[in-house]
């Protein structure tokens, strides 16, 4: 799993460098990957609630949601930024062949689209459950 996250991080990094944002590529990749993981977490939580009625055990939804976001960001910080780990990730994937780069870009785009489809689906399922149709 960690290798996949490293690769997705690297793909986001390369994308930012290729569009001319090399100065912010490291931080953008970290933030965008954290954002996608947050979307995946909340989509999963909403789907659990929609189908099984399982709610996240939070007293205050705002504080709980911000805590989850904070934990995801802190974990990603230690996975990608702490002690310049991003340099090791970039070095590991730097010598890729163009076919591998193309395949990796497609995989990352699919992951992004899948994440947004999952959150939209989970919202729809929540609406259905709240209306009593599920």
């Amino acid at each position: 799993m960690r290798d996949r996250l490293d690769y997705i991080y690297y793909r986001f990094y390369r994308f930012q460098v290729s569009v001319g944002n090399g100065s912010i590529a490291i931080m953008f990749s970290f933030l965008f990957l954290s954002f996608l993981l947050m979307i995946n977490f909340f989509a999963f939580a909403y789907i659990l609630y929609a189908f099984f009625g399982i709610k996240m055990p939070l007293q205050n939804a705002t504080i709980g949601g911000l805590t989850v976001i904070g934990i995801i960001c802190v974990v990603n910080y230690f996975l990608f930024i702490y002690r310049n780990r991003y340099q090791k990730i970039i070095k590991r994937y730097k010598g890729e062949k163009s076919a591998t780069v193309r395949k990796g870009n497609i995989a990352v785009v699919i992951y992004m689209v899948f994440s947004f489809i999952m959150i939209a689906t989970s919202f729809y399922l929540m609406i259905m459950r709240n209306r009593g149709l599920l």
Side-chain angles (χ1 to χ4, degrees):
M1 178 75 167
R2 185 165 178 176
D3 288 337
R4 289 183 184 156
L5 285 176
D6 287 350
Y7 190 69
I8 292 170
Y9 176 84
Y10 177 73
R11 291 282 84 201
F12 287 146
Y13 170 80
R14 290 302 309 158
F15 175 74
Q16 284 300 306
V17 170
S18 69
V19 296
N21 293 332
S23 62
I24 63 166
I26 293 164
M27 212 48 182
F28 175 83
S29 302
F30 157 73
L31 290 173
F32 195 67
L33 187 56
S34 296
F35 173 70
L36 285 178
L37 289 173
M38 176 196 63
I39 285 176
N40 293 332
F41 175 83
F42 285 113
F44 181 70
Y46 294 158
I47 289 170
L48 280 178
Y49 174 70
F51 284 124
F52 305 110
I54 300 171
K55 291 184 178 182
M56 291 176 40
L58 305 173
Q59 297 297 326
N60 185 334
T62 303
I63 293 173
L66 290 175
T67 302
V68 169
I69 293 168
I71 289 171
I72 289 171
C73 288
V74 167
V75 167
N76 280 346
Y77 172 79
F78 283 108
L79 286 176
F80 303 116
I81 307 297
Y82 184 69
R83 292 192 179 173
N84 296 327
R85 186 162 185 289
Y86 62 88
Q87 291 176 344
K88 295 174 188 170
I89 295 169
I90 293 167
K91 187 177 181 180
R92 180 176 3 152
Y93 293 110
K94 194 168 189 158
E96 287 183 311
K97 297 176 183 172
S98 63
T100 307
V101 169
R102 194 172 315 118
K103 186 175 152 181
N105 286 340
I106 291 170
V108 168
V109 168
I110 289 171
Y111 172 62
M112 289 170 33
V113 170
F114 176 76
S115 295
F116 287 110
I117 289 172
M118 286 303 298
I119 196 72
T121 303
S122 67
F123 286 156
Y124 179 73
L125 290 171
M126 291 278 290
I127 291 169
M128 298 294 287
R129 174 154 178 109
N130 290 334
R131 290 184 179 170
L133 300 173
L134 196 74

